[in-house]
Amino acid sequence: MAVERVSPQQWVDVMSARYDDGFTVLETLAAVDAHDGAEPVGLDVVAILFDPRPGAIRRHQVWTRVPDEDRLESLASIWPGARWLERAAADLSGLLVGSGLVDREPLLVQGTPGEAPPLSKKRFLPARIATPWPGSLEPGERRNVGSGPDPSSGRRNRRRLVPPGVPPEQHR
């Protein structure tokens, strides 16, 4: 599978060229939160294209990084079915697509207005906060015991572990 990285400004032109090269099926389009320290901060968007011609079956990945608050031009002019994939990426990852005139009422995930999308690294998972994290207690230790010395054993409890992805101030 060939992999290609393009700028957001080249997105539609490159995809149109790949369509002309025989990649007539847009297999999937997904957005991944790219708050990984690399610049620019935003969303990594990947499209996987498929060439279904007999004897030429092949796939091609096209990647781009869309900075936060920027819009990616829609692929619906090339693949009409791209609207659904773009809408799913918008609901789950917060990808902004097209001119902004599209209905922005969520289709897949109903959330609170202003809340980060479900797959965003800015959103904390409630289950990680509410559920006791394995290994956070010493064997035989009971919940709701303070962080001071354990009177029954004569030794100090170890440092409380914080689940990955939960800021310390959110952990109970």
Side-chain angles (χ1 to χ4, degrees):
M1 177 181 320
V3 178
E4 184 175 9
R5 274 210 169 266
V6 301
S7 73
Q9 295 78 21
Q10 300 171 311
W11 180 249
V12 172
D13 294 334
V14 168
M15 299 301 257
S16 181
R18 294 303 149 260
Y19 187 89
D20 294 342
D21 291 344
F23 293 98
T24 57
V25 177
L26 175 61
E27 197 168 347
T28 193
L29 184 136
V32 178
D33 196 342
H35 290 85
D36 55 6
E39 291 296 326
V41 172
L43 292 171
D44 277 336
V45 180
V46 61
I48 299 177
L49 310 175
F50 179 66
D51 179 356
R53 294 178 295 178
I57 295 178
R58 56 198 175 127
R59 285 187 166 75
H60 189 83
Q61 281 186 12
V62 182
W63 287 82
T64 191
R65 179 162 290 186
V66 183
D68 279 344
E69 306 305 321
D70 280 4
R71 291 188 176 276
L72 188 64
E73 198 171 336
S74 177
L75 298 176
S77 61
I78 305 166
W79 295 281
R83 286 192 195 281
W84 170 253
L85 296 171
E86 292 167 349
R87 189 68 185 270
D91 279 3
L92 296 173
S93 301
L95 178 65
L96 300 174
V97 180
S99 64
L101 300 175
V102 180
D103 179 21
R104 286 296 305 134
E105 185 68 30
L107 291 177
L108 301 174
V109 179
Q110 301 297 320
T112 308
E115 186 177 37
L119 298 182
S120 172
K121 292 181 182 175
K122 298 173 193 167
R123 184 171 176 161
F124 303 118
L125 300 174
R128 288 237 171 127
I129 295 170
T131 306
W133 193 247
S136 65
L137 300 175
E138 293 286 349
E141 186 178 11
R142 293 181 314 272
R143 178 101 12 228
N144 298 330
V145 175
S147 61
D150 183 359
S152 64
S153 69
R155 64 176 187 212
R156 287 189 56 82
N157 293 336
R158 69 178 178 182
R159 175 177 61 91
R160 298 282 183 240
L161 298 178
V162 177
V166 177
E169 62 274 4
Q170 293 285 330
H171 185 65
R172 298 181 215 178

